[in-house]
Amino acid sequence: MVVGVLALQGDFEAHCRVLRALGADCRLVRTPQDLDGLDGLVMPGGESTTMTLGIEREGLAEPLRELARSGKPVLATCAGMIMLDRDHLGVLDMVARRNAFGRQLNSFESDLDLSGFGETLRAVFIRAPWVEDAGEGIEVLAEVDGHPVAVRQGEIMAVAFHPELTGDPRVHAWLVERIHAAERAREAA
Amino acid sequence: MRDTATFRVKAGLAEMLKGGVIMDVVTPEQARIAESAGATAVMALERVPADIRKEGGVARMSDPSLIEGIQEAVTIPVMAKARIGHFMEARVLEALEVDYIDESEVLTPADEANHIDKWEFKVPFVCGATNLGEALRRIAEGAAMIRSKGEAGTGNVVEAVRHIRLITGEIRRLQSMDASELPTAAKNLQAPLDLVREVAENGKLPVVLFCAGGIATPADAALMMSLGAEGNFVGSGIFKSEDPERTAAAIVEATTHFEDPERVARASRGLGQPMAGVEIAALGENGLIQHRGW
C-alpha cells in the first residue's frame, strides 16, 4: 500500500511517521508524476497560501482533483482541508474559512468527539479553519463552537485539526482501512 | 476544556512552517510581495540586517504601527523581533498578537547575562543558536523553534553552514554515546540532561530547526536544506537583490525541491544580481553579531 503525502510545504513528515507506523509505505508528492499508482493521499497541514501557489507552480491542481474524484481515499488536515474546498481544488462541497479561530494566540488543543471514532480524541487546532456553507453531500463528524471542524464526503475526510501531531493514530487508521476496503472491493469485482 | 498556549500548540505552528521560507519585510508592500511569492511567514522589522549593519546604532523592536500595518496586509503568520533579554519588548509584541516572537541577536542585546523567560508567554518564541548547547539552553528557556544563526546581513552563507553542521554533528555524536556518557556530554554542552537524553534518543532537536543568516540564492537555500535545516529564514537576501519578486519565488521553489538539482537550476536562472554580500573576515571580531546570546 502506497500513500502519497503532498510535500510542497508543511508537516508532511509527521504524517509519514504515523502512516509508516500503521504499515503503509509513504511517498512524498511534489510533482504530478509522484501521484502515479498511489492507493491514497494525505493533504497535510501547512500554510494554505504557500500550498496553493505550489500546487499552481507544479501543475498539480488537475491531477490532484482527478485522484480525489477517482474515489481513492483522501485524508486532509488543516491547510489540506482548505485545499479541497470549493474556492481551491473544488473537491469538497463546502468552504473552509481560513484562520477562523484567529491568530496564534487563539490556537488551542481540546478533547473532541469525532463521530464514529469511539472515545474522544485530543485535537490540536493551529490557526485553524472551520467549515462554512457545507452542501448536502457533506457529513459533519465534529463541531467546535457550533462550526464543523471534521467532515466526510464519500472517501474523503477533512479535519481542521492535526491528528498527525498527537500520536493518536485513529484518524490515519481510517485512511488505511478505507484503502484496504477499496482493495477488497477490487478483488471481489 | 480548551487549552491555549500549550507547548504542543506553540511548537505546532513551527511544524506548519516546515519546508518553507520565512522572509524579512520592512513594509506592508514587501509583506504582500513575500506572501505572493509563497513565503510561509514574514518577519516584520524596521530595517533588514544588512541596513542595521551599515547604519549602526542601537537596533530595537519595531514600531507597533509598522507591525500592525504588516499584519493587516497579509494572512500568513507575522513574526517580530525583540532584543535578547528585553521581556518588555516581548510583552508588547504579545499584546500586538504577533504569531511568533524572535528573540534575536540581530537587534542590540538588552541583557548580557539572561535571555527572556519564554515560558511566561503565550506567544511562541524562536531563538538563534550557533551550536547544540546553545539551542538546548534556549529550548530549556521555552523556545518552541530554533534557527541556526549564521551571520545576518552578510549575504554570505559560510557561517550558516558552520552552525548547522555543528548542530547536526553534535546531535550525531550524542546518538553514538551510551547512557552513562550523556551526563558528561550535557555538562560539556552546558545543556540540561533531560534534553540531551531526548536528542540522543530521537536524533533531532525536540523543536523545528530552521536555518538563517546569509542565505541569498536558491542554491544557498537548497544547500541548507540538504545539511539538515527544516526550512529557511531569508533576511536581506530578498529585498536587497535586483529582482525581489523572482528571487523570493525562486528561493521558495529551491527550498521545496532541494533534492532535485535540475529544479534548483531552473529556479536559479536569470534572477539578476543577488545581494552583494561581504567577506566575514572583513567584519572583524567586533563586527560579528552571532556571538550575541549566551
Side-chain angles (χ1 to χ4, degrees):
Chain A
M1 175 191 306
V2 186
V3 179
V5 181
L6 187 68
L8 295 171
Q9 185 275 319
D11 70 338
F12 48 88
E13 277 166 12
H15 281 283
C16 287
R17 274 195 295 277
V18 187
L19 290 167
R20 287 196 193 106
L22 290 169
D25 287 331
C26 187
R27 187 197 299 160
L28 300 183
V29 173
R30 296 192 168 111
T31 64
Q33 293 79 354
D34 297 333
L35 292 170
D36 290 346
L38 291 180
D39 299 304
L41 179 73
V42 170
M43 305 280 283
E47 259 314 303
S48 58
T49 318
T50 309
M51 232 179 261
T52 305
L53 290 163
I55 287 172
E56 205 173 295
R57 182 188 66 221
E58 305 298 332
L60 270 163
E62 198 45 48
L64 284 171
R65 228 175 258 136
E66 267 171 38
L67 185 141
R69 287 178 181 159
S70 73
K72 284 189 180 156
V74 177
L75 171 65
T77 68
C78 198
M81 174 192 248
I82 297 169
M83 290 304 101
L84 296 181
D85 82 355
R86 240 182 259 138
D87 295 342
H88 295 82
L89 294 176
V91 169
L92 289 179
D93 186 16
M94 55 90 179
V95 175
R97 179 162 164 201
R98 294 183 58 216
N99 303 337
F101 293 93
R103 299 186 194 283
Q104 172 64 12
L105 268 179
N106 304 108
S107 293
F108 64 97
E109 51 180 286
S110 70
D111 294 331
L112 190 73
D113 273 317
L114 190 60
S115 172
F117 282 77
E119 283 175 26
T120 57
L121 55 76
R122 195 70 181 160
V124 181
F125 293 85
I126 296 169
R127 287 170 47 92
W130 66 47
V131 171
E132 293 183 340
D133 199 17
E136 280 183 6
I138 297 277
E139 180 191 357
V140 175
L141 304 178
E143 291 187 344
V144 170
D145 299 342
H147 302 284
V149 293
V151 296
R152 184 175 167 187
Q153 177 184 313
E155 295 299 308
I156 304 170
M157 180 162 153
V159 300
F161 54 92
H162 294 285
E164 70 277 16
L165 294 184
T166 53
D168 181 337
R170 280 181 284 169
V171 174
H172 291 80
W174 171 86
L175 180 74
V176 171
E177 166 49 30
R178 292 316 302 160
I179 294 170
H180 282 309
E183 276 170 9
R184 285 195 299 270
R186 270 202 307 275
E187 281 163 16
Chain B
M1 183 59 199
R2 191 177 293 192
D3 298 316
T4 56
T6 62
F7 194 72
R8 190 151 62 185
V9 164
K10 290 175 168 180
L13 178 54
E15 292 283 334
M16 298 313 134
L17 304 174
K18 272 167 90 167
V21 182
I22 299 167
M23 303 183 190
D24 280 4
V25 296
V26 301
T27 64
E29 178 55 24
Q30 287 188 356
R32 276 189 286 266
I33 290 170
E35 184 176 52
S36 306
T40 49
V42 289
M43 178 74 68
L45 69 177
E46 257 162 41
R47 296 180 286 175
V48 293
D51 289 330
I52 292 174
R53 201 173 270 293
K54 198 162 68 189
E55 291 160 18
V58 175
R60 310 179 177 93
M61 177 190 77
S62 298
D63 185 327
S65 61
L66 177 128
I67 294 167
E68 286 162 341
I70 288 168
Q71 284 174 317
E72 280 161 28
V74 295
T75 60
I76 56 177
V78 175
M79 302 182 167
K81 289 182 192 285
R83 282 179 265 178
I84 290 173
H86 206 316
F87 57 83
M88 194 51 68
E89 284 188 347
R91 286 181 193 168
V92 170
L93 294 175
E94 181 165 83
L96 295 173
E97 300 194 1
V98 301
D99 294 299
Y100 242 93
I101 297 171
D102 184 0
E103 185 182 20
S104 178
E105 70 283 359
V106 167
L107 305 184
T108 310
D111 188 328
E112 295 196 330
N114 311 294
H115 282 252
I116 296 169
D117 173 16
K118 293 164 274 288
W119 294 112
E120 103 176 31
F121 289 81
K122 289 188 155 74
V123 169
F125 277 74
V126 54
C127 288
T130 57
N131 57 53
L132 182 59
E134 197 176 355
L136 295 180
R137 287 194 294 280
R138 297 295 83 80
I139 294 166
E141 294 157 2
M145 179 180 187
I146 294 293
R147 54 173 172 76
S148 59
K149 281 181 177 172
E151 189 60 33
T154 61
N156 188 337
V157 82
V158 64
E159 297 301 303
V161 169
R162 187 193 317 282
H163 299 156
I164 196 93
R165 278 201 184 276
L166 251 176
I167 292 169
T168 55
E170 286 171 323
I171 290 174
R172 282 196 299 273
R173 216 159 18 253
L174 287 185
Q175 284 181 285
S176 71
M177 291 181 182
D178 70 37
S180 59
E181 293 172 307
L182 292 177
T184 302
K187 185 191 78 179
N188 292 336
L189 287 167
Q190 298 183 291
L193 178 55
D194 57 334
L195 288 176
V196 168
R197 285 193 177 123
E198 196 179 332
V199 171
E201 191 180 325
N202 299 329
K204 66 185 292 300
L205 289 183
V207 300
V208 169
L209 171 65
F210 267 46
C211 192
I215 298 166
T217 67
D220 286 350
L223 172 69
M224 301 321 299
M225 296 297 285
S226 303
L227 289 171
E230 297 181 295
N232 288 311
F233 281 86
V234 183
S236 320
I238 289 169
F239 290 99
K240 290 290 173 191
S241 71
E242 189 182 332
D243 188 341
E245 283 93 341
R246 291 191 54 209
T247 300
I251 289 176
V252 169
E253 190 174 344
T255 298
T256 294
H257 292 285
F258 71 95
E259 290 167 308
D260 183 349
E262 284 179 23
R263 290 299 300 267
V264 179
R266 197 202 296 179
S268 306
R269 225 167 258 146
L271 295 178
Q273 282 300 313
M275 75 177 282
V278 293
E279 267 288 344
I280 303 299
L283 299 172
E285 191 59 24
N286 291 333
L288 297 180
I289 61 180
Q290 61 182 267
H291 299 315
R292 296 168 170 178
W294 16 91

